């Protein structure tokens, strides 16, 4: 777990490297259990916990089903003010997610509703392309602000002070007229 400018952050990596899609889906249950433990340790309970786990489950299942086998990093981020939670799933596909047009009409469909559920539970969601795939992210508003430990705030202050000190120590280097690189 990290803390700092972005509040609390916890990252896990799922092993979805099996060439068999059914075997890759076996990582989803344990990931959900780990995410439940993290969210509960931060004080997320009740309906908010159910929403977080449902969103995480849908994003992870989509990533496992629709991307090549590999490692899937998953992040939970609690905002510095404790009012929002971000769920992020990184995958190896560059294909951006979309809500299927038939998802609204076909009551008998066995899949295609995951992003509808995510959209209904999220304050906002989207995807960002990366050098090696994409990050699908969801921001969930929490019903009450959670206390962000003082450690997170203290760490943030320490990082700011370190940045200021580092910037203050930066000096312009005078060119050496005797250097073979001098003009």
């Amino acid at each position: 777990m990290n803390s700092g400018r972005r509040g609390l952050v916890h990252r896990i990596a799922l092993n979805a490297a099996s060439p068999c899609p059914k075997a890759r889906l076996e990582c989803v249950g344990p990931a959900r259990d780990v995410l439940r433990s993290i969210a509960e340790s931060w004080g997320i309970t009740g309906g908010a916990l159910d929403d977080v786990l449902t969103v995480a489950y849908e994003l992870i299942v989509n990533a496992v089903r629709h991307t090549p086998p590999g490692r899937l990093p998953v992040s939970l981020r609690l905002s510095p003010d404790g009012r929002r939670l971000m769920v992020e799933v990184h995958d190896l596909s560059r294909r951006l997610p979309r809500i299927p047009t038939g998802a609204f009409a076909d009551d008998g469909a066995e899949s295609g509703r995951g992003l509808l559920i995510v959209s209904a539970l999220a304050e906002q969601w989207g995807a960002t392309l990366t050098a090696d795939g994409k990050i699908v992210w969801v921001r969930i508003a929490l019903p009450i602000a959670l206390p962000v430990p003082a450690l997170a705030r203290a760490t943030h202050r320490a990082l700011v002070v370190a940045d200021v000190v580092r910037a203050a120590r930066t000096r312009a280097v005078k060119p050496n007229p005797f250097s073979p690189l001098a003009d």
Side-chain angles (χ1 to χ4, degrees), residues 55 59 77 79 83-88 118-119 121-126 136-142:
V55 164
L59 295 185
R77 297 180 187 276
S79 64
R83 296 183 184 278
R84 288 177 178 72
L85 184 84
M86 292 285 288
V87 179
E88 299 173 343
V118 167
S119 182
L121 297 174
E123 180 179 78
Q124 187 176 10
W125 74 276
V136 181
W137 56 267
V138 176
R139 185 172 61 211
I140 301 170
L142 299 173

Side-chain angles (χ1 to χ4, degrees), residues 157-170:
R157 283 192 299 272
L159 289 171
V160 169
V161 169
D163 287 344
V164 169
V165 168
R166 194 174 307 115
R169 289 185 179 167
T170 304

Side-chain angles (χ1 to χ4, degrees), residues 4-177:
R5 287 182 275 217
R6 302 180 103 185
L8 297 176
V9 179
H10 196 98
R11 294 180 178 93
I12 63 173
L14 308 181
N15 181 5
S18 172
C20 173
K22 188 174 182 178
R24 285 199 314 262
L25 284 171
E26 291 176 4
C27 73
V28 177
R32 184 180 166 105
D33 294 341
V34 170
L35 295 174
R36 172 186 297 278
S37 175
I38 295 163
E40 287 176 336
S41 75
W42 289 352
I44 301 171
T45 61
L49 178 62
D50 293 339
D51 291 353
V52 167
L53 295 177
T54 299
V55 164
Y57 174 83
E58 293 297 338
L59 295 185
I60 293 168
V61 167
N62 281 348
V64 169
R65 282 189 178 153
H66 300 294
T67 65
R71 191 174 141 265
L72 300 174
V74 177
S75 300
L76 285 183
R77 297 180 187 276
L78 181 62
S79 64
D81 65 3
R83 296 183 184 278
R84 288 177 178 72
L85 184 84
M86 292 285 288
V87 179
E88 299 173 343
V89 177
H90 306 233
D91 68 45
L92 301 173
S93 169
R94 294 190 52 83
R95 186 172 173 213
L96 294 174
R98 61 177 180 75
I99 297 175
T101 55
F104 295 99
D106 190 357
D107 291 339
E110 293 183 21
S111 65
R113 291 195 180 92
L115 288 177
L116 281 175
I117 293 168
V118 167
S119 182
L121 297 174
E123 180 179 78
Q124 187 176 10
W125 74 276
T128 306
L129 290 176
T130 64
D132 58 351
K134 69 178 173 297
I135 299 170
V136 181
W137 56 267
V138 176
R139 185 172 61 211
I140 301 170
L142 299 173
I144 59 168
L146 299 175
V148 177
L151 177 60
R153 290 187 295 275
T155 302
H156 174 65
R157 283 192 299 272
L159 289 171
V160 169
V161 169
D163 287 344
V164 169
V165 168
R166 194 174 307 115
R169 289 185 179 167
T170 304
R171 296 183 189 148
V173 178
K174 294 180 183 176
N176 182 347

